[in-house]
């Protein structure tokens, strides 16, 4: 018997319960490690986002700035997003241009420019989040994971005034740096272009194992459910592949595994529209009882179902 899902992300309706307090000053030392006392539930362990500055007040359709700092579990490719949403309907009201740091970085600081807020009320959600970047840039198949596949997330605890711009944030120069990473990690390298029900399909997964001698790698084909379509508490397990992983040695950082799903496997997707892959490592021989003993886990929602 297999679990139906392995990680539950907070849905948008509950995000305001797990926000961190912001500061109207961006004078904090950039080199400090990110501080987020209560990370939202479901976010990958080690992910942190901290709001360094928001204006005291902003005006509708007036440009303003906000500064954020973050740290991730390890150096990796990622994309940083800031959106303003209607608190009730979750309609997009504005935001900053997304940022993808060059190469593999772990921590950073960035000031978003918001060109204006288009809202009829001040019941507004401030949402900062980070999603993974997977694939190979050299081979031209790099992709950014969509929401809700978040590896860090935050918001604000106290709303600013909405009476015109007062106390705008100074623009802080972008900086990126690395800390001592947790090296047990998973990356998605390549996904077949289309998943056609009843046709063979494969996913390439790269693994680095440093803190365990051996582990089991599970690559599971699942169906998304829930308020945010994917990563809900009733997601459906369809099929999975298991590989034995040995500790990395020598000059080899990544070890590649190819999960090949047969025509019979993919035929199970025929009646669904939201397939995704969950890849995770557990200690060798670990059996699901009340939960897995997760070493590391990643998701990719970037799966196109074709006919």
């Amino acid at each position: 018997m297999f679990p139906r899902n392995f990680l539950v992300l907070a849905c948008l309706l509950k995000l305001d319960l797990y926000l961190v307090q912001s500061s109207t000053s961006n004078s904090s030392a950039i080199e400090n490690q990110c501080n987020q006392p209560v990370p939202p539930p479901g976010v990958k362990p080690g992910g942190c986002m901290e709001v360094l500055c928001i204006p005291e007040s902003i005006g509708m359709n007036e440009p303003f700035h906000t500064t954020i700092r973050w740290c991730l579990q390890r150096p990796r490719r990622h994309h940083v997003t800031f959106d303003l949403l209607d608190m009730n309907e979750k309609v997009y009201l504005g935001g900053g241009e997304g940022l993808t740091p060059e190469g593999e970085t772990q921590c950073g600081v960035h000031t978003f420019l918001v060109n204006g807020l288009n809202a009829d009320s001040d019941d507004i959600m401030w949402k900062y989040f980070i999603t993974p970047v997977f694939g190979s840039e050299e081979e031209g198949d790099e992709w950014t994971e969509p929401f809700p596949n978040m590896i860090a997330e935050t918001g604000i605890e106290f709303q600013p005034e909405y009476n015109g711009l007062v106390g705008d944030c100074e623009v802080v120069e972008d900086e990126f740096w690395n800390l001592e990473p947790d090296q047990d990690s998973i990356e998605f390298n390549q996904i077949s272009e289309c998943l056609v029900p009843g046709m063979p399909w494969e996913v390439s997964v790269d693994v680095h194992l440093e803190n365990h001698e051996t582990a089991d790698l599970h690559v599971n084909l699942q169906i998304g459910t829930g308020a945010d379509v994917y990563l809900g508490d009733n997601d459906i397990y369809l099929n999975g592949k298991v590989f034995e992983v040995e500790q990395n040695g020598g000059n080899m950082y990544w070890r590649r595994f190819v999960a090949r799903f047969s025509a019979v496997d993919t035929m199970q997707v025929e009646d669904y529209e939201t397939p995704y892959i969950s890849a995770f490592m557990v200690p060798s021989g670990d059996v699901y009882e009340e939960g897995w003993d997760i070493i590391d886990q990643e998701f990719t929602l970037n799966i196109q179902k074709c006919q």
Side-chain angles (χ1 to χ4, degrees):
M1 181 176 180
F2 294 89
R4 284 189 161 187
N5 102 308
F6 308 103
L7 182 61
V8 180
L9 290 173
C11 70
L12 280 173
L13 295 175
K14 297 180 180 178
L15 289 177
D16 55 322
L17 299 178
Y18 303 101
L19 304 181
V20 299
Q21 183 174 358
S22 66
S23 168
T24 56
S25 169
N26 57 8
S27 60
S28 300
I30 290 174
E31 297 303 328
N32 289 344
Q33 187 171 353
C34 177
N35 178 33
Q36 186 176 18
V38 185
V43 172
K44 187 177 179 70
C48 169
M49 297 192 82
E50 179 182 7
V51 180
L52 297 182
C53 179
I54 65 171
E56 296 175 26
S57 176
I58 65 174
M60 302 302 173
N61 299 313
E62 286 188 86
F64 67 92
H65 299 85
T66 177
T67 300
I68 191 79
R69 175 168 57 197
W70 67 90
C71 279
L72 304 174
Q73 176 204 36
R74 58 180 172 86
R76 63 183 300 166
R77 294 167 296 161
H78 58 277
H79 183 78
V80 189
T81 301
F82 168 55
D83 288 339
L84 294 161
L85 306 172
D86 176 89
M87 188 73 75
N88 299 309
E89 301 297 329
K90 308 302 180 286
V91 175
Y92 178 81
L93 304 174
E97 182 179 356
L99 170 73
T100 302
E102 184 176 351
E104 296 183 353
T105 58
Q106 186 171 9
C107 302
V109 64
H110 176 70
T111 299
F112 285 104
L113 166 64
V114 181
N115 287 319
L117 172 62
N118 182 18
D120 296 327
S121 74
D122 58 5
D123 198 9
I124 297 168
M125 175 185 292
W126 294 54
K127 182 172 176 58
Y128 309 79
F129 63 95
I130 298 176
T131 53
V133 175
F134 291 130
S136 172
E137 183 178 11
E138 293 77 13
E139 297 178 10
D141 61 356
E142 187 177 60
W143 72 89
T144 298
E145 282 289 306
F147 175 88
N149 190 7
M150 299 176 291
I151 53 177
E153 173 197 9
T154 195
I156 57 172
E157 184 176 5
F158 301 109
Q159 293 279 336
E161 299 292 329
Y162 295 94
N163 297 319
L165 185 62
V166 177
D168 194 17
C169 301
E170 296 181 4
V171 176
V172 175
E173 184 178 355
D174 287 351
E175 290 199 27
F176 309 104
W177 65 97
N178 294 333
L179 304 172
E180 186 68 27
D182 177 357
Q183 296 289 351
D184 295 329
S185 47
I186 295 171
E187 291 266 350
F188 291 101
N189 178 267
Q190 192 173 36
I191 296 178
S192 297
E193 184 174 356
C194 280
L195 192 164
V196 180
M199 297 292 291
W201 183 77
E202 63 183 40
V203 179
S204 296
V205 182
D206 289 349
V207 172
H208 181 87
L209 185 67
E210 186 166 307
N211 298 316
H212 298 75
E213 290 187 2
T214 61
D216 291 338
L217 169 67
H218 293 251
V219 183
N220 290 350
L221 178 60
Q222 300 187 181
I223 299 298
T225 64
D228 298 322
V229 181
Y230 296 94
L231 306 177
D233 56 3
N234 292 311
D235 284 5
I236 302 168
Y237 169 88
L238 294 183
N239 196 281
K241 310 300 176 184
V242 182
F243 304 89
E244 182 178 343
V245 181
E246 295 182 352
Q247 190 176 54
N248 289 65
N251 296 324
M252 180 186 297
Y253 189 88
W254 295 108
R255 183 173 282 115
R256 182 161 301 170
F257 298 86
V258 180
R260 294 181 172 89
F261 294 88
S262 70
V264 174
D265 296 334
T266 63
M267 197 64 193
Q268 299 176 71
V269 179
E270 186 175 27
D271 295 330
Y272 302 101
E273 298 300 326
T274 54
Y276 72 95
I277 290 290
S278 167
F280 60 98
M281 285 191 293
V282 296
S284 294
D286 188 38
V287 177
Y288 183 87
E289 293 179 354
E290 296 183 358
W292 294 105
D293 183 10
I294 299 289
I295 296 173
D296 191 48
Q297 182 173 36
E298 294 287 346
F299 304 100
T300 179
L301 313 183
N302 187 47
I303 298 176
Q304 181 179 1
K305 178 185 173 184
C306 305
Q307 298 299 330

